Amino acid sequence: MWSGGVVELCRAEFGSGDYAACLELRRVVLREPLGLEWSEGDLALEEEEWQMGWWEEGEVLACVSVRWLGAGRVKLRQMAVRGDRQGKGLGGLLVGAVLEILGGEGVAEVELHARESVVGFYEKLGFEIVGERFEEVGLAHWAMKHQI
Ligand SMILES: CC(C)(COP(=O)(O)OP(=O)(O)OC[C@H]1O[C@@H](n2cnc3c(N)ncnc32)[C@H](O)[C@@H]1OP(=O)(O)O)[C@@H](O)C(=O)NCCC(=O)NCCS
C-alpha cells in the first residue's frame, strides 16, 4: 500500500464520519458542479461497497467507491479528487493502489463509467473503452474495463 509522507490510504466504514467526509467530497466535486444533489437511490447500495480514500491529517483528499459485482468483477464509481489537489498525481495513485488491493482480493476485471473529459486519465491507468458513448447525469460517458 502506498503512503506518501503523511498521506495515507484508508477504507471508510459505511455510515462513519470518514464515510460522511467522502460523501461530502464527492458531492462537492461531482454533484454540485452539475447542480445535482443525492437522491435516495444514489446511496441505496453503498452499504455493500468499499469507500477508499487518501487521507491527510484527518481530511480526505481523494476517494473512490468499489461496487462488488460478483465473479471476480467490480465497478469503480464516484472517483473524486479535491479541487486544490487535482493534477498532482493523487487520482492516479489512488486508482493504482486500489487496483493492487483488488487484485489481492481475487478481482480479475474492473469496470467503470468514465466522463468523456477523463477517458484519458483512465487510459493511462490501463483501462480501455468498451461499447458506445452514452449519457449519464447529463454528461457524455464511456464504459471502460481493465483486466488485473
Ligand atoms: C479526474 C480526476 C479523478 C483525476 O485525478 P488527478 O489527481 O487530478 O489526476 P492525476 O494527477 O493523478 O493524473 C494522472 C495522469 O492522468 C492524466 N490526467 C489527469 N486528468 C486527465 C484528464 N481529464 N484527461 C486526460 N488525462 C488526464 C494526468 O496528466 C496524469 O498523466 P501523467 O501520469 O502522464 O502525468 C480528478 O481530476 C477529478 O476528481 N476531477 C473532477 C471529477 C471527475 O471528473 N471525476 C471522474 C468522474 S468519471
Side-chain angles (χ1 to χ4, degrees), residues 25-26 29-30 33 54 61-63 76-83 85-95 112-125 136 139 141-142:
L25 177 63
R26 290 161 43 188
V29 174
L30 296 168
W54 286 128
L61 304 179
C63 61
L76 295 189
R77 305 171 53 252
Q78 298 277 305
M79 173 77 205
V81 178
R82 205 170 77 185
R85 295 301 188 100
Q86 289 176 13
K88 296 180 172 146
L90 270 185
L93 282 170
L94 177 58
V95 175
L112 54 81
H113 291 173
R115 293 181 180 184
E116 191 162 57
S117 58
V118 302
V119 162
F121 166 72
Y122 291 114
E123 282 177 337
K124 289 201 167 176
L125 293 161
E136 208 170 73
L139 297 176
H141 277 75
W142 293 86

Side-chain angles (χ1 to χ4, degrees), residues 31-101:
R31 295 268 147 174
E32 205 171 55
L34 303 180
L36 297 173
E37 284 294 335
W38 300 117
S39 67
E40 272 180 43
D42 287 333
L43 305 178
L45 295 172
E46 297 214 355
E47 194 163 359
E48 309 299 327
E49 297 184 356
W50 279 13
Q51 179 68 70
M52 307 295 294
W54 286 128
W55 299 80
E56 183 183 63
E57 295 174 357
E59 288 199 34
V60 65
L61 304 179
C63 61
V64 67
S65 305
V66 179
R67 180 165 291 173
W68 299 87
L69 303 176
R73 293 169 51 238
V74 299
K75 181 177 180 185
L76 295 189
R77 305 171 53 252
Q78 298 277 305
M79 173 77 205
V81 178
R82 205 170 77 185
D84 62 331
R85 295 301 188 100
Q86 289 176 13
K88 296 180 172 146
L90 270 185
L93 282 170
L94 177 58
V95 175
V98 168
L99 292 182
E100 198 178 318
I101 292 168

Side-chain angles (χ1 to χ4, degrees), residues 123-137:
E123 282 177 337
K124 289 201 167 176
L125 293 161
F127 285 82
E128 289 178 355
I129 286 179
V130 287
E132 303 297 319
R133 189 173 182 263
F134 61 96
E135 199 169 298
E136 208 170 73
V137 291

